[in-house]
Amino acid sequence: MARRPTTSDAFNAVAEPRRREILDLLAAGERPVNDLVVILGLAQPQVSKHLGVLRAVGLVTVRTSKQQRLYKLNADRLKPIHDWVRTFEPFWDNQLNRIKERAERKAQERASGRNATDKEP
Amino acid sequence: MARRPTTSDAFNAVAEPRRREILDLLAAGERPVNDLVVILGLAQPQVSKHLGVLRAVGLVTVRTSKQQRLYKLNADRLKPIHDWVRTFEPFWDNQLNRIKERAERKAQERASGRNATDKEP
DNA sequence: AAATCATATACCCTAATCGGAATATTGCAA
DNA sequence: TTGCAATATTCCGATTAGGGTATATGATTT
């Protein structure tokens, strides 16, 4: 096996900085491919390929209008990333949350019973 | 060029599901490698390698204790992901935010001037 | 010192990326 | 129809991940 395909996941699709940039741009509204080519300063085929990946994971949708293809953000597919990373909020938030988090962690350690990390008796 | 190294970024490091699992586990507290091996059901070398990637991007820290190496979450390094993905919150939130977002988007479109997506006059 | 436990590293392999350049496709225009 | 504009697809080359397996390192105990 090799690395997970970029098209397997929003996580993998979004690991590429250019694709994040594309999503950032599309957050402002629908755009045709050539807009992205110009703004990002990339070659057109690469942009099309990036859009293909984003489309494959459902992060964007396409609509044909005149000779152009208008790409639109489908932000729902970013939710899994948000949901996952949100679970770590307590760790970096403010001091208040840090205290709360510490309490929760202690409780969890107690609840999950003894394991290899246990200090000596 | 090939794909961005997994060690280049928190985004890339976290694209691998196993590594996310490891971080999830470490959220409950420090753990030695063998704990992760047992819990994840992976081979020990693979776990060590995943931990190596996580360490390379600063998502975990290590501390040697007795014969073991205790890995600890360093959640701060997840913040960039959180910050990025947070910018898309308005899109999937509740209806209230959706209205607000629409207004913002319209304003932005107006502000950023004419472009190729413009409808006919 | 030897054996052992815990972990890290090295090697081989296959699959898949991304960029570049060329070319194919599709729709509209003259 | 011929041509052009916008976009997609294909082929190439270099790089690298990640699993598997074997082995090395390092600390601990006997």
Side-chain angles (χ1 to χ4, degrees):
Chain A
M1 269 154 246
R3 210 209 286 217
R4 278 270 167 113
T6 56
T7 55
S8 61
D9 224 49
F11 283 96
N12 280 278
V14 148
E16 176 66 23
R18 315 289 193 155
R19 286 196 283 266
R20 288 201 300 279
E21 287 185 59
I22 289 177
L23 294 179
D24 289 340
L25 289 171
L26 295 183
E30 253 183 358
R31 280 205 187 271
V33 178
N34 200 53
D35 267 30
L36 303 173
V37 169
V38 171
I39 296 174
L40 296 174
L42 295 179
Q44 175 268 315
Q46 333 297 340
V47 173
S48 276
K49 275 193 274 186
H50 283 315
L51 287 168
V53 172
L54 294 173
R55 193 154 44 99
V57 297
L59 277 166
V60 300
T61 56
V62 216
R63 166 173 83 93
T64 303
S65 163
K66 304 175 66 175
Q67 331 78 306
Q68 305 185 312
R69 312 207 71 202
L70 300 179
Y71 281 83
K72 191 175 107 179
L73 175 66
N74 182 25
D76 281 355
R77 296 300 173 91
L78 287 173
K79 236 184 148 182
I81 301 177
H82 184 251
D83 290 343
W84 178 74
V85 83
R86 245 183 70 82
T87 67
F88 297 93
E89 261 180 346
F91 290 93
W92 65 68
D93 253 8
N94 49 46
Q95 193 122 9
L96 236 71
N97 280 10
R98 183 161 296 184
I99 290 162
K100 186 178 154 213
E101 172 263 315
R102 179 181 279 188
E104 280 165 358
R105 195 165 57 194
K106 272 191 185 165
Q108 238 243 357
E109 276 168 9
R110 199 160 312 223
S112 63
R114 308 267 147 251
N115 60 47
T117 64
D118 287 345
K119 329 288 177 298
E120 44 285 336
Chain B
M1 271 152 243
R3 211 208 282 216
R4 276 272 168 111
T6 57
T7 56
S8 62
D9 223 49
F11 282 97
N12 280 278
V14 148
E16 177 66 23
R18 316 287 193 159
R19 286 195 284 265
R20 289 200 299 278
E21 286 186 59
I22 290 177
L23 294 178
D24 290 340
L25 288 171
L26 295 182
E30 251 182 359
R31 281 205 186 272
V33 178
N34 200 53
D35 267 31
L36 303 173
V37 169
V38 170
I39 296 174
L40 296 174
L42 294 179
Q44 176 267 316
Q46 333 300 338
V47 173
S48 277
K49 274 192 275 186
H50 283 313
L51 287 168
V53 172
L54 293 174
R55 192 155 44 98
V57 297
L59 276 165
V60 299
T61 56
V62 215
R63 167 173 84 90
T64 302
S65 164
K66 310 174 62 175
Q67 334 78 305
Q68 307 185 310
R69 311 208 70 203
L70 301 178
Y71 281 82
K72 191 174 109 179
L73 175 66
N74 182 24
D76 281 355
R77 295 300 172 91
L78 286 172
K79 238 183 148 182
I81 300 177
H82 185 251
D83 289 344
W84 178 74
V85 81
R86 246 182 68 80
T87 66
F88 297 93
E89 261 180 346
F91 289 94
W92 65 67
D93 252 8
N94 50 46
Q95 194 122 11
L96 235 73
N97 279 10
R98 183 159 299 183
I99 289 161
K100 186 178 155 213
E101 172 263 313
R102 179 182 280 188
E104 280 166 357
R105 196 165 55 194
K106 271 191 184 165
Q108 238 244 0
E109 275 168 9
R110 200 161 311 223
S112 63
R114 307 271 146 245
N115 61 46
T117 63
D118 286 346
K119 328 288 177 298
E120 43 285 335

